[in-house]
């Protein structure tokens, strides 16, 4: 064997190795808060610890991030107090001096103030880029903390998301989680959604069996928390917003608010919906801030804040304010004696579809007041308006065998088309993907694709066949549960290159569609989930990822020039940088670019005097990619980085229905018929 040693290739040394299931993300204690009390003769600085115990510099270095930055900030605070004391003493001087006066000391004090503010921002940015891993302590009980420097928040968020996905893939419930007809004995978990958790939607048991009735995604965070706790939770979650789910029976309905803060997701509150027989729900965003400066109307129907509209089969609508902790409806009004079958908000208008084929449109004025007493009413057909879908500047309204396209500005019919030759067919659901709209039909196992511009019929998919193939591989006892049960579509969702389809037998399918804004033709076989509901899949909802910030900060002491000069980075939008040394520009670009962050290098151990870093101290690692690897496949790496940068952390897809049953697990789970939520994490 020839010697292929190349001194130019960096050498790596194994520091530690632990099972992935033993790796946890450790939360950082809050940094200490400082306040100043100025008097005529002195300035007193009071430090309030952010954690439950006082932290010295060693604690800050280990747990709170950049220890050197904390020490520099504390030195500046000390100098500020001394400067204020000097200024107070100068005022006692009887003589007048050119360079030694109160004005000079004031400028000096203001300069220190500015430095403290900058240092606080550096500390916040540095801590936000840290990844703290809790690992089993080597050779002893307990755990140790190892801290990585991810370079910026985007890399940190993506790395943590990938770690959680990898741990999730090892769970027994994900081996397997899907039936894939092309797996050929091997399942590529990296390309499949992973079952995250299932949880009941109600906090207490009910005498009468309840079923999921409707659900809606609310982009606002759950507000019924103390401000301090809310800020802490908001900073640690990957997903924003919450989901409102309604469950009920004939005489009453209950609303459950599902939060996406860790542990994700979980029910944080349940309360009465006010009206029974809920059929659909819709979120209405708040009006723009500039409109709030105008004189607000005293009308009872003036709603400038974000609200949730809940419609019922009795023709009534209850309006809840999202951030109202009383959880009481602001008002309830009667729309029609006919049941409400669908509601959708678009362009400051609420479209309400009724069971008798009538479309009612309520307008919201710029100040947030609704003209509920002046609706626009039009009759589409004699069949219920089963589904409403915003498409560009129009609202697609499904009624009977046809889809009517309504212009949102004029509220007039713009076009229409039929979805099937059989006049008895009724449209049930519609979802948009790219320039296509997928349409399902009532009590049918087929879905059809139509072009949004030409209205042309493009494709039809039958979902019964893949479900039947999946059932063939199950035990006979499990298959008997599905015997003689009719399969039809009960919910649909299009997101992140997939068309999710929920069925009447509780089974969920994932159909691949193009992610680009093209015609979303199904281009591969359907994957069928082994995690099912006992009853129909009533709702499918996707969460939003949190918006990730741009480039923010890299530790100055990690990227230092040879002569010891510090530098800091410019912002992503091209703002002026502070003291950037051109000799280190390449290192800066390397450290901050979102590379393949699983290929990282270890920083050198630092020594200060006789104090050497140990495993218990802060271990700083810069996330870099090997230069040789980039040279070998530079274009591939750039494409990968652009993809990772655009996709960001994973999404969550929630399915709501009765119970949760893993078809490869315990058969007793199918006896549970409580309203439940199943969370899927998409990579």
């Amino acid at each position: 064997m020839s010697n292929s040693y190349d001194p130019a290739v960096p050498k790596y040394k194994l520091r530690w190795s632990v099972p992935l299931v033993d790796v946890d993300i450790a939360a950082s204690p809050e940094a200490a808060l400082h306040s100043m009390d100025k008097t005529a003769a002195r300035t007193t600085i009071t430090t309030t610890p952010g954690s439950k115990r006082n932290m010295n510099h060693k604690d800050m270095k280990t747990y709170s991030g950049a220890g050197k930055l904390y020490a520099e900030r504390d030195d500046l605070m000390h100098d500020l107090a001394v400067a204020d004391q000097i200024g107070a003493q100068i005022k006692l001087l009887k003589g007048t001096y050119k360079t030694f006066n109160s004005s000079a000391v004031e400028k000096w004090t203001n300069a220190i103030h500015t430095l403290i503010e900058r240092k606080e921002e550096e500390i916040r940015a540095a801590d936000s880029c840290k990844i703290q891993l809790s690992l089993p302590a080597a050779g002893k009980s307990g755990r140790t903390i190892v801290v990585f420097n991810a370079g910026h928040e985007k890399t940190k968020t993506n790395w943590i998301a990938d770690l959680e996905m990898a741990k999730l893939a090892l769970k027994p419930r994900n081996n397997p989680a899907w039936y894939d007809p092309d797996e050929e004995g091997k399942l590529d978990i990296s390309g499949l959604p992973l079952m995250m958790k299932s949880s009941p939607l109600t906090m207490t048991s009910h005498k009468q069996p309840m079923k999921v009735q409707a659900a809606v995604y609310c982009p606002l965070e759950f507000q019924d928390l103390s401000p301090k706790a809310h800020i802490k939770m908001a900073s640690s979650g990957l997903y924003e917003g919450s989901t409102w789910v309604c469950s009920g029976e004939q005489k009453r309905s209950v609303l459950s608010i599902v939060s996406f803060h860790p542990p994700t997701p979980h029910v944080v509150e349940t309360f009465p919906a006010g009206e029974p027989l809920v059929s659909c729900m819709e979120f209405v965003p708040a009006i723009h801030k500039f409109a709030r400066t105008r004189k607000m109307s005293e009308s009872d129907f003036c709603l400038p804040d974000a609200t949730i509209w809940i419609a019922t089969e009795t023709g009534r609508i209850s309006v809840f304010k999202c951030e109202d902790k009383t959880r009481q409806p602001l008002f309830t009004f009667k729309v029609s004696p006919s049941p409400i079958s669908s509601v959708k908000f678009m362009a400051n208008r609420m479209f309400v579809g009724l069971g008798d084929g009538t479309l009612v449109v309520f307008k919201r004025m710029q100040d947030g007041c609704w003209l509920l007493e002046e609706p626009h009413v039009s009759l589409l057909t004699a069949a219920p308006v089963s589904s409403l879908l915003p498409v560009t500047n129009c609202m697609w309204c499904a009624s009977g065998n046809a889809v009517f396209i309504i212009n949102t500005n004029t509220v007039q019919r713009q076009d229409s088309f039929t979805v099937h030759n059989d006049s008895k067919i009724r449209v049930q659901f519609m979802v948009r993907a790219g320039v296509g709209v997928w349409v399902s039909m009532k009590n049918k196992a087929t879905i059809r694709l139509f072009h949004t511009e030409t209205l042309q019929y493009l494709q039809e998919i039958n979902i019964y066949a893949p479900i039947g193939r999946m059932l063939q591989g199950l035990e006979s006892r499990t298959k008997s549960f599905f015997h003689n049960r009719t399969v039809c579509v009960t919910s649909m969702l299009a997101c992140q290159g997939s068309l999710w389809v929920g069925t009447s037998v509780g089974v969920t399918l994932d159909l691949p569609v193009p992610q680009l804004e093209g015609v979303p033709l199904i281009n591969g076989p359907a994957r069928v989930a082994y995690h099912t509901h006992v009853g129909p899949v009533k709702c499918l909802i996707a969460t939003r990822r949190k918006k990730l910030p741009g480039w923010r900060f890299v530790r100055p002491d990690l990227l230092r020039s040879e002569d010891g000069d510090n530098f800091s980075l410019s912002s992503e939008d091209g703002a002026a940088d502070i003291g950037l040394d051109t000799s280190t520009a390449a290192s800066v670009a390397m450290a901050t670019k979102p590379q393949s962050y699983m290929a990282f290098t270890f920083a050198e151990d630092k020594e200060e005097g006789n104090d050497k870093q140990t495993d218990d101290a802060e271990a700083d690692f810069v996330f870099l990619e090997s230069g040789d690897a980039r040279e070998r496949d530079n274009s591939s790496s750039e494409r990968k980085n652009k993809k990772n940068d655009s996709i960001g952390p994973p999404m969550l897809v929630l399915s709501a229905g009765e119970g949760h049953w893993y078809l490869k697990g315990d058969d007793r789970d199918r006896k549970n018929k409580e309203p439940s939520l199943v969370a899927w994490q998409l990579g």
Side-chain angles (χ1 to χ4, degrees):
M1 183 176 179
S2 61
N3 185 7
S4 59
Y5 172 73
D6 185 358
V9 177
K11 294 184 291 185
Y12 300 95
K13 181 174 65 174
L14 179 65
R15 296 294 183 93
W16 43 263
S17 176
V18 297
L20 193 61
V21 294
D22 294 334
V23 179
D24 294 322
I25 300 295
S28 301
E30 299 175 23
L33 304 176
H34 295 270
S35 60
M36 289 183 292
D37 181 21
K38 292 187 177 182
T39 62
R42 69 172 61 183
T43 298
T44 303
I45 301 177
T46 304
T47 301
T48 304
S51 62
K52 294 182 179 179
R53 60 184 179 86
N54 293 330
M55 294 190 297
N56 54 33
H57 285 306
K58 182 179 179 181
D59 293 326
M60 291 181 181
K61 186 178 177 72
T62 303
Y63 297 102
S64 297
K68 184 177 180 181
L69 294 177
Y70 280 93
E72 292 173 352
R73 190 272 314 274
D74 292 343
D75 291 342
L76 288 172
M77 298 291 288
H78 172 270
D79 293 347
L80 178 62
V82 173
D84 282 339
Q85 293 174 9
I86 292 175
Q89 294 296 321
I90 287 179
K91 292 180 180 179
L92 302 178
L93 296 176
K94 296 182 179 180
T96 302
Y97 305 93
K98 185 175 181 181
T99 59
F100 197 58
N101 53 46
S102 298
S103 178
V105 174
E106 184 177 356
K107 292 181 181 179
W108 183 21
T109 303
N110 292 336
I112 297 177
H113 265 294
T114 302
L115 291 175
I116 291 175
E117 291 175 357
R118 290 183 180 179
K119 195 64 63 176
E120 292 281 1
E121 179 61 27
E122 289 179 354
I123 289 172
R124 286 191 293 269
D127 286 341
S128 68
C129 300
K130 294 291 182 175
I131 300 176
Q132 295 194 147
L133 296 184
S134 174
L135 308 173
K140 56 183 179 180
S141 60
R143 301 182 71 84
T144 185
I145 300 294
V146 178
V147 183
F148 292 82
N149 189 342
H152 66 94
E153 276 188 282
K154 193 174 293 186
T155 302
K156 171 185 175 180
T157 304
N158 289 342
W159 194 91
I160 292 177
D162 279 0
L163 174 65
E164 296 299 332
M165 286 287 286
K167 293 177 63 178
L168 199 59
L170 298 177
K171 301 288 186 181
R173 60 177 178 263
N174 283 310
N175 292 280
W178 294 86
Y179 166 77
D180 191 341
D182 285 346
E183 62 185 41
E184 297 180 357
K186 251 184 195 184
L187 196 60
D188 183 13
I189 297 179
S190 61
L192 293 173
L194 298 176
M195 192 274 182
M196 191 175 190
K197 67 179 293 188
S198 65
S199 58
L201 282 170
T202 54
M203 294 183 173
T204 58
S205 59
H206 301 275
K207 295 181 180 180
Q208 296 293 333
M210 303 185 73
K211 296 183 179 181
V212 176
Q213 296 173 329
V216 66
Y217 174 76
C218 174
L220 302 180
E221 302 287 353
F222 176 67
Q223 296 292 324
D224 195 12
L225 299 165
S226 65
K228 186 175 181 181
H230 176 67
I231 293 173
K232 184 176 180 181
M233 291 176 67
S235 64
S236 60
L238 294 176
Y239 316 99
E240 66 178 9
S242 57
T243 295
W244 291 45
V245 186
C246 186
S247 307
E249 34 94 7
Q250 289 292 326
K251 296 184 178 180
R252 67 189 184 109
S253 297
V254 176
L255 284 168
S256 302
I257 300 182
V258 180
S259 172
F260 301 124
H261 294 301
T264 302
H266 63 288
V267 177
V268 291
E269 185 180 2
T270 60
F271 54 93
E275 294 284 335
L277 302 176
V278 172
S279 58
C280 46
M281 304 167 63
E282 178 66 348
F283 169 77
V284 178
I287 62 173
H288 293 293
K289 291 183 178 180
F290 75 88
R292 295 172 183 261
T293 60
R294 304 178 182 179
K295 184 178 180 181
M296 304 300 294
S297 172
E298 297 181 358
S299 170
D300 293 335
F301 305 136
C302 194
L303 307 173
D305 300 315
T307 54
I308 298 287
W309 290 44
I310 300 177
T312 69
E313 296 178 12
T314 59
R316 300 173 65 84
I317 291 180
S318 298
V319 180
F320 287 80
K321 183 179 176 182
C322 295
E323 299 177 354
D324 184 8
K325 296 181 181 180
T326 63
R327 304 305 183 199
Q328 296 293 326
L330 299 176
F331 57 84
T332 300
F333 64 99
K334 185 84 170 181
V335 178
S336 169
S338 180
I340 299 177
S341 51
S342 55
V343 290
K344 191 66 65 175
F345 176 81
M346 183 183 185
N348 276 328
R349 287 173 173 83
M350 180 63 75
F351 291 77
V352 181
L354 302 181
D356 59 2
T358 302
L359 179 67
V360 181
V361 183
F362 298 102
K363 184 179 180 180
R364 182 174 71 172
M365 306 302 291
Q366 290 186 353
D367 59 357
C369 292
W370 288 88
L371 303 180
L372 298 182
E373 298 176 353
E374 304 174 20
H376 181 278
V377 182
S378 58
L379 180 64
L380 301 181
T381 68
V385 182
S386 56
S387 182
L388 298 170
L389 179 68
V391 178
T392 315
N393 296 322
C394 297
M395 182 68 72
W396 285 33
C397 309
S399 179
N401 189 31
V403 174
F404 300 88
I405 301 175
I406 306 297
N407 187 293
T408 55
N409 294 323
T410 62
V411 202
Q412 299 298 321
R413 185 182 304 180
Q414 184 171 299
D415 208 339
S416 65
F417 64 96
T418 57
V419 299
H420 202 279
N421 294 330
D422 188 353
S423 59
K424 296 180 180 180
I425 295 294
R426 297 290 182 263
V427 177
Q428 187 73 0
F429 302 104
M430 297 186 297
V431 293
R432 183 182 181 183
V435 294
V437 171
W438 283 97
V439 178
S440 70
M441 287 148 280
K442 188 175 182 180
N443 298 327
K444 296 294 180 180
T446 56
I447 55 177
R448 289 191 167 193
L449 175 64
F450 294 86
H451 199 282
T452 57
E453 298 174 359
T454 65
L455 308 183
Q456 181 183 0
Y457 163 56
L458 301 174
Q459 190 179 19
E460 180 176 281
I461 298 293
N462 191 310
I463 64 169
Y464 179 79
I467 294 178
R469 289 192 293 267
M470 182 270 290
L471 294 177
Q472 290 178 3
L474 300 178
E475 297 180 358
S476 57
R477 187 176 179 181
T478 303
K479 287 191 291 186
S480 63
F481 177 77
F482 298 93
H483 186 61
N484 292 332
R485 296 186 65 185
T486 303
V487 177
C488 59
V489 177
T490 56
S491 56
M492 290 195 301
L493 171 69
C495 71
Q496 198 168 312
S498 294
L499 176 65
W500 291 67
V501 180
T503 66
S504 57
V505 294
V507 176
T508 304
L509 296 90
D510 178 12
L511 304 169
V513 295
Q515 293 196 47
L516 299 178
E517 289 294 323
V519 179
L521 294 170
I522 300 296
N523 52 16
R527 298 178 292 197
V528 187
Y530 285 118
H531 292 272
T532 70
H533 292 284
V534 180
V537 182
K538 186 65 177 178
C539 307
L540 288 168
I541 295 178
T543 66
R544 293 183 185 177
R545 303 184 190 96
K546 281 193 172 179
K547 294 181 180 179
L548 300 178
W551 314 118
R552 291 194 58 186
F553 183 81
V554 171
R555 278 275 304 275
D557 52 323
L558 287 179
L559 301 174
R560 190 183 296 271
S561 60
E562 294 181 358
D563 57 0
D565 294 333
N566 290 330
F567 60 89
S568 60
L569 302 178
S570 62
S571 61
E572 190 178 33
D573 58 2
D577 47 323
I578 304 173
L580 179 62
D581 190 343
T582 56
S583 64
T584 58
S587 299
V588 173
M590 173 71 73
T592 59
K593 189 176 180 181
Q595 305 286 353
S596 296
Y597 36 77
M598 292 304 293
F600 51 82
T601 61
F602 292 90
E604 296 291 337
D605 287 340
K606 303 182 183 69
E607 291 188 18
E608 296 181 5
N610 296 327
D611 297 332
K612 188 175 181 179
Q613 282 187 334
T614 64
D615 290 338
D616 293 331
E618 180 183 29
D620 287 314
F621 306 110
V622 185
F623 284 66
L624 303 175
E625 185 181 35
S626 169
D628 293 337
R630 290 197 318 278
E631 291 175 3
R632 286 193 299 267
D633 194 4
N634 185 43
S635 61
S636 175
S637 176
E638 288 180 358
R639 288 194 300 268
K640 182 178 180 181
N641 291 332
K642 289 180 180 179
K643 181 180 178 182
N644 289 340
D645 184 65
S646 62
I647 293 178
M651 291 182 64
L652 285 184
V653 170
L654 308 178
S655 69
E658 299 175 34
H660 166 242
W661 180 20
Y662 182 39
L663 300 182
K664 291 284 188 176
D666 195 341
D667 187 58
R668 292 175 296 181
D669 291 341
R670 72 180 187 182
K671 297 180 180 179
N672 177 25
K673 295 186 178 181
E674 288 291 324
S676 300
L677 201 69
V678 176
W680 294 92
Q681 189 160 321
L682 281 64

